[in-house]
Amino acid sequence: MTLPHSPGGAGEPQASQAVQVHRLEHKQEEEQKEERQHSLHMGSSVQRRTYRSSEEEQQFSSEDYALAAALALTASSELSWEAKLRRQTTTVELEERGQRRVGFGNDLERMEVAFLRTQRLLRQKRDWKALRQRTEEKVREAKELIELCSGRGPWFWIPLRSHAVWEYTTVLLTCTVQGSPPFQVTWYKNDIRIDPRLFPPGKYRITNNYGLLTLEIRRCTVEDSATYTVLVKNAYGQASSFAKVLIRTYVGKDAGFDSEIFKRSMLGPSVEFTSVLKPIFAREKEPFSLTCLFSDDVLEAEQRIQWFRDGRLLRSSARRQILYADRQASVKVSCAYKEDEGLHTIRVSSPFGPQEQSAYVFIRDAAAEKPGAPGSPLNVRCLNIHRDCLTLTWTPPSDTRGSAITGYSIEMCQGDSEEWVPCLTAPGGTCRCPIQGLSEGQSYRFRVRAVSKAGTSLPSKASEAVVMVDYDAVQKTEIPFDLGSKITIYKNDFEDAVTIPSAPTNVHASEIREAYALLSWEEPRPQGRAPLTYTLEKSIIGSGTWEAISTETPIKSPRFALLDLEKGKSYVFRVRALNQYGMSDPSEPSEPVALTGKPATLPPPARVQAFRNTQTSVSLAWEPVDGGSELLGYYIYSREAGASEWQTVNNKPIQDTKFTVPGLRTGKEYDFCIRSVSEAGVGESSEATQPVRVKQALATPSAPYDFALLNCGKNEMVIGWKPPKRRGGGKILGYFVDQHDSEESDWHPVNRQPIPSRVCKVTNLQEGHFYEFRARAVNWAGIGELSAPSSLFECKEWTMPEPGPPYDVRVSEVRATSVMLQWEPPLYIGAGPVTGYRVSFQEKGSEEWKPVTPDATSDTHLKVSDLQPGKQYMFRVQAMNSAGLGQPSVPTDPVLLEDKPDAQEIEVGVDDEGQIYLAFEAPEAPDFSEFQWSKDYKGPPDPQRVEVEDEMNKSKVILKEPDLQDLGIYSVVVPDADEDTSASHTLTEEELNKLKKLSHEIRNPVIKLISGWNVDILEQGEVRLWLEVEKLSPAAELHLIFNEKEIFSSPNRKINFDREKGLVEVIIQQLSEDDKGSYTAQLQDGKAKNQITLALVDDDFDKLLRKADAKRRDWKRKQGPYFQEPLTWKVTEDCQVLLTCKVTNTKKESRFQWLFQKKEAPRGQYNPQTGDGSLSIEGFSKEDQGVYRAVVSDDRGEDDTVLDLTGEVLDAVLTELGRIGALSATPLKIQGTEEGIRLFSKVKYYNVEYMKTAWFHKDKRLESGDRVRAGTTLDEIWLHILDPKDSDKGKYTLEITAGKEVRQLSADLSGQAFDDALAEHQRLKALAVIEKNRAKVVRGLPDVATIMEDKTLCLTCVISGDPSPEISWLKNDQPVSFLDRYHMEVKGTEVTVTIDKVTSEDSGRYGIFVKNKYGSETGQVTISVFKHGEEPKELKKK
């Protein structure tokens, strides 16, 4: 092989570098071509047009050809440059290739040239095709632009601009407007239309020069400051623009755009806060609100007020309302969730910058449905949303209520149905779970419940609704054009027609957890436009086989959660794609996948530190946890020092590493710990902080203020001032004072060491000079803020006769209607001594000072009462002498009168040593504070009589020897507190006596008596004397004194002393006259003593003796059979009198007997099994009165019980019978009778003497008469209405009275009831007439008659009937013919039948049949004929 010749020399490196440059340019050219081709392809895809090839004809208009020509020229120049570049690149490539290929012959070179030529032609053809497409696109856009511009509403190309000019100058307002067709222009000033004709000539000039609008205002004055608006409109719409014009009347630093006037005109009035937002502690599912007050009406500033939560802007919603009214703005939440917890901030824009206030809102867990169930989760979110699956995440609750969370229950709601159904149960080790099997295009919401062994929590707040759409698949590109328009191109537009898809790629586990693995893959490319689904296969490592994974629904998304994998095994997976044309080949297997162990929670933060902050809050800080994206925040827990149970501070994780915990109790010590929160759960607790006391954090004090000149000499001054409003949480140690001579430029210090008081004497001054002063306060934290300079005070000796001003006017004991004032007397007293003080007050907002009292006070203190609560007052004091009133003191700061709920009062009591004390506790007092006690406001109490003990935040005054000298008003004040911390108490003689009594009891203890002497009679008649005291020690002693002589246990008198129970007991076996007297128990247990006496004398002893004897006899009686329950009576519901008793302690031989009036009562019953005896008396009356006795006896003895049923007892029995009888009355019934209508009620018992009845018709009492009859029987009460008429209709009432029992029964005899009863009456009356006149056989015929042959038989009977009945006789049911021997005779009502010479043939059954129009009746007789010498026989009826 012959190598090409390489010429040497210096140009060799340059040639190689040129080749590289050409290569780079060629590569850039190719990339630009591809981008341009891709852009053109996208544009054509959007329009979905098919363009013709270069050989085909295309029809264009003349405008199209003009635009195409212009574009072609531009494209030609570009192509010429591109062609030149390609030729250069090709030449370089050929040269390089020629160097490498010399020796291969000309054929190869020609082939290479032909290939390059062909490639160039193809590229040129492709470029011309792309150029034509671009030309057509440009033509289309130009046509759309022409159409768009031919008709549209006006819009401002350049809007108006605000101006600020000097007075008497000219302002020119201009703007540029576009729109078609031409528009109408109108100018406004403060929303009032400007008409130049209504103003002086030349004041306003309005022009419109082809869309350039101008308003010229000449020789402007202050009245021209306003908002100017221009309104333009045409047939397609309207538009407006405005600008503010400020006319300045003076020149200075406050003029122009920096002036307050301009800021107010541009931004509106300034709104300031008048209240402070405070932390809110709300509860889940309950409402809460935040309200902020302002100095001005907020309606005008509504647009400048914004609410934020954790930095995010809040807006009104269905659950949240943002309201503005009067001078307040508020946020109201109707139903709180934990997601609402956070730092809420209100921001108000003002001319001087934004103003803000913030407060933290805490949402505590709602009460659990089941005690012990954990709190609800929060922050439920839907991530990785696809067509049929998503990933659900949430935050674990902070409070598990002592039971670990074992899992989470997920509930799902489809659409807006509000029907929640269980969806899935997630294990407790994670707060993340995949949800699959969802429907594409459907919206879903989810909520989560925490589950523990104690129960299930309340549901969390529902997640935001999500629609199941593959957002990754719906990729789109937006190409802007024209003014605000855009073209949207979707990813699917580039897909070609593909039948069977190719295999998915990049199958991998995107997420592996303890319970599942989330498999993901990339969709096949190309995939076509047919919808795809996927099938999955798995294989266990080492098995060599693949197994299809079955799913309930088709997999539409390129991800799937595997929930049934076995722990400890490794799997590989592959995926196939399916569409309507077929299934793809399997993808490449994934990397091995195995489930992980339980995720570990994040470690707790380190170096958790707690610091003082305010009187009710503590600040926390800690080092962040390196948890990356897994860290969701931190939960904080607190507890009072010494407590064992931690309390949750926040229920929403905190993102920061510092936090201020509010709502703590002032003066208490707290511990804190912090836990990290992640999807794995809540981690372990950090180490508890050192106990921190809730107090104001120590800081330097604020500046003193309100300097006053208290006295002045020739070259000295005495000045005073008020203490700092903010003392920095510590005691003020002193002040540094500076002075300044108005004739000098420098300030000079007055003192080198702190002045402990607020009065300073300044010397070495020059008479006649003016001086001003300033000061700084010092505490443990350092030197505080420098005060503002005081007013200028002239150094001139005071010679006026009136006194100087009092100073140090202090306000304490602030209540709703009163305050206590104290002050120091003036240092300058004038011409004479001070004789009194005049105190005045001024209500805030008023300029009038009013005297508190009409007369002056001689003390340096005064309690001001009868003030109006809720208002603010200022006070000042003036001293007076013989010359008159002196200078007033510096007024106090405004004091708001209110009763503070946590205000401390002086506690008065007696300690364990018996000392009387007055104590005051001030948890909010600064450290090392001084408690200043005063008696009667005249100074500290006498140290000879009291002792003062100070502890942390508490001071106590102990009375050494309490007596009347200690009576008076005790007051205390903490001077170093920022707020009023004071109280007073008036010790009265009555209270002191009570305290002294209590003190004596404590110093001289008495054994506490629980129960004094008690007397009990035991079962056998023994007498028990006992008393009870508190529990005694084993060394306690008892001395029992009887009639001044100590007694001890004896056979008849036993003494028991139980020290553990504090019981003293004396049991007398048989009480007698020897036991009469007084019993005294003397007890002693250490220093404690007590003595209790019982007197058993006179009537008390006699009564006790009788009871003991009776008890003894009763006990002896009960040794044999006896009556456990004595003889008693009761009335049953059946109105029977039942006598009962009960016997016990019986045996088989025992005999029971009932006696009435000393005679045995056989009706008595006795049950030997139960011992119950009973005697039932039915129909009880006075005949049953008498003495009833029951007797039981056997060989052990006899017992009886007696019941005397006479007198009052008899009346009680009959009264009770009457009452029950009245209650047993049934409702009134109505019955028709022959005589009329009958009303009646059934009763179980009726007694005329003890039961009274009365009938009422229409509330009118009825009496018995011709037509109305009333009566009673033993079981019925009735009223009979004879011959009823319409006047008898109405309401009838029966009133039954039995003793105090009155019962009324009513029935309405009208309408249908009356008609039915009347019809029944008429029916029965008609039946009675028929029965009376009907043909009847009254009497006469026997049943059987016997007669001897040949005798004459005569049968006679009596008949009745009207009209007279027809008569016929029957023999054996056949008519009888009265011939020969048969004869019938009728005489009035008697009918006689005679049979002569009877024979045996005459035997048979005969009957007489009578009949008239009202009816008929048959009378029968059986005839038996016997022969001579035979005994008569009765015939049997056949």
Side-chain angles (χ1 to χ4, degrees), residues 932-1205:
Q932 294 182 357
W933 286 91
S934 175
K935 186 172 184 295
D936 297 328
Y937 301 103
K938 295 180 180 179
D942 185 0
Q944 299 297 326
R945 303 202 57 80
V946 302
E947 179 183 354
V948 180
E949 294 181 356
D950 290 335
E951 301 175 2
M952 178 66 72
N953 302 328
K954 188 174 182 179
S955 181
K956 182 189 293 185
V957 172
I958 300 174
L959 305 182
K960 295 181 178 180
E961 297 180 0
D963 60 16
L964 297 179
Q965 298 181 33
D966 297 313
L967 302 180
I969 302 175
Y970 290 83
S971 61
V972 62
V973 63
V974 182
D976 295 315
D978 290 342
E979 298 182 357
D980 173 45
T981 307
S982 59
S984 65
H985 181 80
T986 302
L987 185 62
T988 62
E989 183 177 357
E990 180 182 1
E991 184 180 17
L992 181 61
N993 291 335
K994 292 181 180 179
L995 294 172
K996 290 171 68 176
K997 181 179 179 180
L998 181 59
S999 174
H1000 176 77
E1001 293 175 354
I1002 294 176
R1003 291 181 176 180
N1004 301 280
V1006 176
I1007 295 176
K1008 184 179 179 181
L1009 181 66
I1010 297 177
S1011 176
W1013 280 111
N1014 296 273
V1015 181
D1016 295 336
I1017 299 176
L1018 303 183
E1019 184 180 7
Q1020 299 183 20
E1022 306 102 322
V1023 176
R1024 177 174 178 255
L1025 311 178
W1026 64 276
L1027 63 86
E1028 186 179 3
V1029 297
E1030 62 183 338
K1031 180 181 177 181
L1032 302 176
S1033 68
E1037 298 179 359
L1038 168 66
H1039 298 279
L1040 190 60
I1041 308 300
F1042 174 61
N1043 292 337
E1044 300 181 356
K1045 183 180 179 180
E1046 186 173 1
I1047 59 174
F1048 304 94
S1049 290
S1050 63
N1052 189 50
R1053 189 186 292 129
K1054 295 181 180 180
I1055 301 174
N1056 298 323
F1057 181 29
D1058 190 340
R1059 295 172 177 81
E1060 180 69 22
K1061 297 180 180 179
L1063 183 65
V1064 177
E1065 185 179 51
V1066 180
I1067 298 177
I1068 303 174
Q1069 296 296 328
Q1070 186 169 353
L1071 189 68
S1072 63
E1073 291 291 335
D1074 295 338
D1075 299 311
K1076 182 187 295 185
S1078 63
Y1079 295 80
T1080 301
Q1082 296 177 351
L1083 296 169
Q1084 183 173 358
D1085 190 3
K1087 293 183 179 181
K1089 300 178 181 180
N1090 205 341
Q1091 179 174 300
I1092 308 98
T1093 301
L1094 171 65
L1096 284 180
V1097 295
D1098 301 333
D1099 294 340
D1100 294 337
F1101 179 81
D1102 296 338
K1103 187 183 298 183
L1104 178 63
L1105 183 60
R1106 289 193 298 270
K1107 288 183 178 180
D1109 291 341
K1111 191 75 171 180
R1112 189 180 302 107
R1113 288 193 302 270
D1114 185 63
W1115 176 79
K1116 290 181 179 179
R1117 177 179 66 86
K1118 292 181 180 179
Q1119 300 310 304
Y1122 67 94
F1123 284 94
Q1124 183 180 2
E1125 296 177 4
L1127 197 57
T1128 57
W1129 64 268
K1130 70 175 181 178
V1131 178
T1132 66
E1133 293 183 357
D1134 294 332
C1135 294
Q1136 296 180 0
V1137 177
L1138 183 64
L1139 306 183
T1140 60
C1141 61
K1142 188 171 185 178
V1143 180
T1144 187
N1145 198 22
T1146 60
K1147 59 182 181 179
K1148 187 181 297 184
E1149 293 79 8
S1150 298
R1151 180 171 178 269
F1152 190 93
Q1153 187 178 14
W1154 283 97
L1155 299 175
F1156 173 60
Q1157 297 294 85
K1158 299 182 180 181
K1159 296 180 180 180
E1160 187 172 355
R1163 293 179 295 173
Q1165 302 291 328
Y1166 171 66
N1167 186 350
Q1169 301 298 326
T1170 61
D1172 293 328
S1174 62
L1175 177 61
S1176 179
I1177 307 173
E1178 298 182 2
F1180 187 86
S1181 64
K1182 287 190 176 182
E1183 296 178 357
D1184 297 310
Q1185 65 178 337
V1187 177
Y1188 293 82
R1189 181 168 175 256
V1191 181
V1192 61
S1193 61
D1194 59 18
D1195 56 356
R1196 295 172 296 172
E1198 178 182 291
D1199 193 18
D1200 66 347
T1201 177
V1202 178
L1203 178 63
D1204 187 0
L1205 283 185

Side-chain angles (χ1 to χ4, degrees), residues 1361-1381:
D1362 186 17
S1364 298
E1366 299 176 3
I1367 303 170
S1368 61
W1369 284 86
L1370 301 174
K1371 177 184 177 184
N1372 295 331
D1373 298 330
Q1374 298 297 324
V1376 176
S1377 299
F1378 291 96
L1379 299 173
D1380 300 333
R1381 295 184 297 112

Side-chain angles (χ1 to χ4, degrees), residues 1198-1252:
E1198 178 182 291
D1199 193 18
D1200 66 347
T1201 177
V1202 178
L1203 178 63
D1204 187 0
L1205 283 185
T1206 60
E1208 294 180 358
V1209 178
L1210 178 64
D1211 292 340
V1213 172
L1214 293 174
T1215 301
E1216 181 66 11
L1217 276 169
R1219 186 185 71 83
I1220 296 180
L1223 294 176
S1224 68
T1226 61
L1228 287 178
K1229 294 184 179 180
I1230 302 173
Q1231 180 184 25
T1233 65
E1234 296 178 14
E1235 293 82 3
I1237 299 176
R1238 187 170 178 265
L1239 288 81
F1240 65 94
S1241 172
K1242 294 288 186 178
V1243 294
K1244 296 181 180 179
Y1245 176 83
Y1246 188 82
N1247 189 309
V1248 178
E1249 295 183 10
Y1250 289 88
M1251 298 177 67
K1252 304 297 181 184

